[in-house]
Amino acid sequence: MIDQYIYDGTFEGFLTAVFEVYDRKPTRVKIVSERLVTVNFFDEEHTIYTDQAKSDRVWKGIEYRIGKKAGNLIYKAFLSEQSDREQVLLRIIKKGFKGENVTDNFADIDVLRLTNLVKIVGREKHRMDAFIRFRLTKDNVYFAEVEPDFDTLPLNAIHFKNRYADQKWLIYDRCRNYGIFYDLKTVNYVQLEISNDINSSLAAPFYFTHDEMHYQDLWKNYFKSTNIPSRKNMRLHLQHVPKRYWKYLSEKQP
């Protein structure tokens, strides 16, 4: 029988579950996000409620005993949302607390998996940095929508806060239904109800400024005018700008 520790899917919730693993010392344990949990008559389920104090203790322990580099890797790998992340990270944390090298020992299968998770998250983060397109709303906030493969917004926040420190902006993740809002001082997490017609040609003028609509047209005309049909290489283009990102690229809109 396996003890299933079911948490709320947040990083703080995961660290709380790790705390409970060390506190209760189960023989066999599996940490599962409540979003992915499945009923299993052979396992015993335990609901883990996020506790900030317990989460902080585990995080400080990781940074102090394993190192800040390992903590950074663990956090990025967690953002991958892959189904095996909790088990991999739990084993990494246990090995790190025992003094094993969990950052550079690529002969260890868990370290290798950790590195792979960090890579795919990092690659998606950089794509989001490049493919996010802001539009100025009538509330004087630059707004952008995204649907990243992984939960990269916490990482994108640092990039855009440094790059656009003098403007209010909001980046909203449609897949995970939350966004990051910068108010010229701090970046805060927000949840909104965003109309599905915000991108339609008829409704967009209701949300965005007249100048913004004009700039969108200019941007699209610029791309059309710089395109050389005889040198078009769609395979190479898709390699650098995969089609799944086109939905929110203004230059790709009709």
Side-chain angles (χ1 to χ4, degrees):
M1 184 179 72
I2 298 176
D3 286 300
Q4 278 203 99
Y5 285 11
I6 303 167
Y7 74 108
D8 59 6
T10 66
F11 187 59
E12 291 75 13
F14 168 70
L15 294 180
T16 303
V18 173
F19 181 95
E20 295 298 339
V21 169
Y22 276 88
D23 187 51
R24 303 181 191 182
K25 298 179 175 57
T27 306
R28 300 177 67 194
V29 64
K30 183 177 182 182
I31 300 175
V32 186
S33 167
E34 62 185 6
R35 188 169 58 87
L36 300 176
V37 69
T38 55
V39 177
N40 186 331
F41 295 110
F42 300 101
D43 296 339
E44 186 170 346
E45 298 178 354
H46 306 271
T47 300
I48 303 298
Y49 297 99
T50 297
D51 185 312
Q52 193 62 50
K54 293 178 180 177
S55 169
D56 289 344
R57 282 184 61 182
V58 174
W59 183 245
K60 287 178 182 176
I62 291 172
E63 289 197 317
Y64 180 72
R65 296 178 59 182
I66 311 178
K68 289 189 176 182
K69 179 182 177 182
N72 187 38
L73 296 177
I74 288 169
Y75 178 60
K76 287 181 177 177
F78 180 83
L79 297 177
S80 70
E81 300 178 318
Q82 298 299 290
S83 58
D84 64 341
R85 62 175 177 175
E86 289 90 353
Q87 296 310 103
V88 172
L89 296 182
L90 178 59
R91 290 195 293 269
I92 286 287
I93 292 170
K94 284 183 174 179
K95 290 176 181 177
F97 282 166
K98 290 179 182 175
E100 296 182 27
N101 179 355
V102 295
T103 57
D104 303 307
N105 180 17
F106 301 116
D108 186 308
I109 192 170
D110 289 322
V111 176
L112 195 59
R113 179 60 175 157
L114 173 73
T115 304
N116 288 336
L117 293 177
V118 171
K119 277 185 180 176
I120 60 175
V121 170
R123 193 179 302 126
E124 186 72 353
K125 182 264 183 190
H126 286 299
R127 281 177 170 164
M128 286 298 105
D129 287 345
F131 296 148
I132 283 177
R133 297 288 186 269
F134 286 103
R135 291 176 290 174
L136 182 60
T137 68
K138 291 184 176 179
D139 295 324
N140 204 33
V141 174
Y142 285 89
F143 172 74
E145 297 167 278
V146 292
E147 293 182 10
D149 288 346
F150 313 114
D151 186 14
T152 62
L153 279 195
L155 304 177
N156 296 120
I158 302 168
H159 170 82
F160 286 101
K161 184 182 177 183
N162 292 332
R163 187 168 183 179
Y164 300 117
D166 59 342
Q167 298 163 351
K168 291 182 181 179
W169 48 260
L170 167 65
I171 305 171
Y172 206 81
D173 185 337
R174 283 270 193 183
C175 292
R176 296 159 189 84
N177 194 31
Y178 83 96
I180 48 175
F181 173 60
Y182 177 63
D183 60 2
L184 301 179
K185 294 180 180 176
T186 59
V187 177
N188 299 296
Y189 292 91
V190 296
Q191 279 192 308
L192 304 170
E193 288 188 13
I194 298 177
S195 172
N196 289 327
D197 70 354
I198 192 171
N199 296 312
S200 70
S201 57
L202 291 176
F206 178 76
Y207 300 103
F208 303 103
T209 66
H210 175 76
D211 285 348
E212 178 60 38
M213 302 302 295
H214 184 56
Y215 287 133
Q216 295 285 323
D217 289 336
L218 288 175
W219 186 242
K220 284 185 278 188
N221 288 335
Y222 167 77
F223 265 80
K224 286 180 183 176
S225 62
T226 55
N227 181 42
I228 303 174
S230 61
R231 300 184 66 180
K232 191 173 182 178
N233 186 335
M234 187 53 73
R235 179 179 294 181
L236 182 64
H237 182 66
L238 289 174
Q239 183 179 333
H240 290 288
V241 189
K243 210 164 188 175
R244 67 179 184 276
Y245 299 110
W246 290 16
K247 186 175 181 180
Y248 297 117
L249 295 179
S250 51
E251 62 268 30
K252 293 295 185 184
Q253 305 312 310

